[in-house]
Amino acid sequence: MDETEYAIEAHGLRKSYGAVPVLDGIGLEVPRGEVFALLGPNGAGKTTTVRILATLDRADAGQVRVAGHDVVAERALVRRRISLTGQYAAVDEQQTGAENLRMMARLTGLPRAHSRERAAELLDRFGLTAAARRRVSTYSGGMRRRLDIAAGLVGSPEVLFLDEPTTGLDLHSRHVMWEAVERLAASGVTVFLTTQYLEEADRLADRIAVLDGGRLVARGTAAELKRRFADHRLDLTFTDAESRRLAAERYAVRVVGGRARDEGPGGGADGPRGPRTLSLATDGSAAHVRALLDEIDPERRTVSRFELQGATLDDVFLALTGHPAGHRAEGEWELDAEGEVAGHV
């Protein structure tokens, strides 16, 4: 693909806060008009990446171009072409939804009449027309997030950064947000999304990259990642919890490496398949399934049932990082609102 077709390009991106490395030479290319999802556990460097791409922070090393412009040398030009919505809605709760959008339109330089038209258009697009005259303080969390994204679109940006936009929302509100993002992508806006919700990335993203410990450990479409790193999952149900525990201990290296997933006590007591289940990655072939069963239960006494499943992004994430989404790995750091190191987790 020609370089001019990329909305976002980053090469050799490095960032540290003091002695703490956060990004370790990552590279990204996001084609125009696509939804790109950056996945990673808490503290992996997702928000730091967004801050650098959106000109809010500078990398220690590397080159970044967004919407065709260098984020350092042409910072003002980049800012005119992007919008950023963070993890928390940044709208004025004492104003109505319509007033918020009209204010943003005026700040971008639109005349008063055009500001009203743009506000009405965005309220309709995000299903907020009925609440347009209500104060934002009366809005639900999902409505505030939609209004926040609408405010970011007042200036018709080429690139929209969404940093965990559905964090804390209920399932219905998340689905409404997903529909809004899908409409944005269909209109030609490039969307850069960070998320811990793997279902979200699976549904929305044209391409996905997995960030872990400041490094990109995989990239591709959801289907490609599933095929390359997990493919299928063999769920084994043991006759009792003790047999499952012994099997998990025996294959602990594989659990960490992503081949097996322990859903029982000590590895997720509330796992969806219960305390007697262990999950192994497999290529799905009969020969491999037989080999795994013979290896795990050579005497055919402890495994009472097995089920072969297609892999999910959750399986891919576990295979690549050694822990489930939403987990903060021991030894990682968190940053405060200004991007400074706030504490060791």
Side-chain angles (χ1 to χ4, degrees), residues 195-217:
T195 181
Q196 294 179 48
Y197 297 120
L198 303 183
E199 180 186 2
E200 188 164 271
D202 207 353
R203 170 168 170 169
L204 297 177
D206 297 292
R207 302 171 200 269
I208 296 169
V210 181
L211 184 66
D212 191 38
R215 297 183 178 184
L216 286 179
V217 294

Side-chain angles (χ1 to χ4, degrees), residues 1-340:
M1 181 176 292
D2 189 272
E3 287 187 355
T4 60
E5 295 186 29
Y6 288 121
I8 299 170
E9 299 174 82
H11 304 285
L13 208 57
R14 297 182 183 276
K15 181 67 178 179
S16 297
Y17 292 99
V20 182
V22 180
L23 298 178
D24 188 13
I26 72 170
L28 296 167
E29 296 87 24
V30 180
R32 295 181 185 275
E34 288 196 358
V35 179
F36 181 91
L38 184 62
L39 303 181
N42 287 330
K46 300 189 302 297
T47 295
T48 298
T49 301
V50 169
R51 288 176 61 85
I52 292 172
L53 297 178
T55 77
L56 298 179
D57 206 347
R58 286 195 180 189
D60 298 332
Q63 296 81 43
V64 183
R65 294 180 68 83
V66 174
H69 300 283
D70 186 278
V71 298
V72 176
E74 301 173 292
R75 184 182 183 190
L77 290 175
V78 172
R79 288 191 167 189
R80 291 174 194 164
R81 289 163 172 78
I82 67 171
S83 180
L84 168 64
T85 296
Q87 298 179 25
Y88 306 99
V91 290
D92 187 341
E93 294 190 352
Q94 298 310 308
Q95 294 192 86
T96 67
E99 287 170 342
N100 266 278
L101 297 186
R102 289 199 298 266
M103 177 185 67
M104 291 300 298
R106 295 289 287 157
L107 289 173
T108 62
L110 288 179
R112 191 177 302 276
H114 289 172
S115 296
R116 288 196 297 270
E117 292 174 3
R118 184 62 173 156
E121 175 191 342
L122 289 168
L123 288 165
D124 179 64
R125 183 191 298 188
F126 285 88
L128 294 170
T129 300
R133 297 175 180 271
R134 284 169 43 193
R135 284 191 179 186
V136 175
S137 59
T138 69
Y139 283 18
S140 67
M143 293 169 68
R144 294 185 196 196
R145 300 298 290 149
R146 280 183 278 154
L147 181 65
D148 197 23
I149 293 179
L153 294 173
V154 166
S156 301
E158 296 176 31
V159 181
L160 176 62
F161 293 98
L162 298 177
D163 189 16
E164 301 194 17
T166 59
T167 296
L169 298 186
D170 59 54
L171 185 59
H172 172 73
S173 296
R174 283 168 56 197
H175 278 276
V176 172
M177 285 288 295
W178 294 349
E179 291 170 357
V181 172
E182 288 170 336
R183 289 194 296 271
L184 284 174
S187 72
V189 176
T190 302
V191 180
F192 188 100
L193 169 74
T194 73
T195 181
Q196 294 179 48
Y197 297 120
L198 303 183
E199 180 186 2
E200 188 164 271
D202 207 353
R203 170 168 170 169
L204 297 177
D206 297 292
R207 302 171 200 269
I208 296 169
V210 181
L211 184 66
D212 191 38
R215 297 183 178 184
L216 286 179
V217 294
R219 71 183 79 194
T221 66
E224 289 169 347
L225 293 177
K226 291 173 189 176
R227 186 168 58 250
R228 286 164 54 197
F229 295 102
D231 202 9
H232 288 80
R233 187 184 71 237
L234 182 65
D235 295 338
L236 304 177
T237 301
F238 289 80
T239 54
D240 55 77
E242 179 65 11
S243 295
R244 194 274 313 148
R245 184 187 67 79
L246 291 173
E249 288 181 354
R250 183 182 305 167
Y251 296 96
V253 173
R254 298 177 188 177
V255 172
V256 174
R259 181 178 173 189
R261 176 164 62 183
D262 180 5
E263 298 286 1
D270 296 323
R273 286 174 294 283
R276 293 185 295 137
T277 301
L278 196 66
S279 299
L280 307 178
T282 173
D283 62 12
S285 68
H288 194 221
V289 169
R290 286 194 203 98
L292 286 173
L293 289 170
D294 288 341
E295 188 178 2
I296 293 288
D297 186 15
E299 298 181 356
R300 302 185 181 182
R301 293 180 179 176
T302 60
V303 175
S304 61
R305 186 171 65 251
F306 70 89
E307 187 175 1
L308 187 65
Q309 303 278 6
T312 67
L313 273 185
D314 191 43
D315 298 304
V316 173
F317 195 94
L318 184 67
L320 290 168
T321 68
H323 43 70
H327 172 84
R328 184 186 293 275
E330 183 178 355
E332 290 176 342
W333 294 72
E334 60 180 0
L335 307 178
D336 62 20
E338 284 70 45
E340 301 296 330

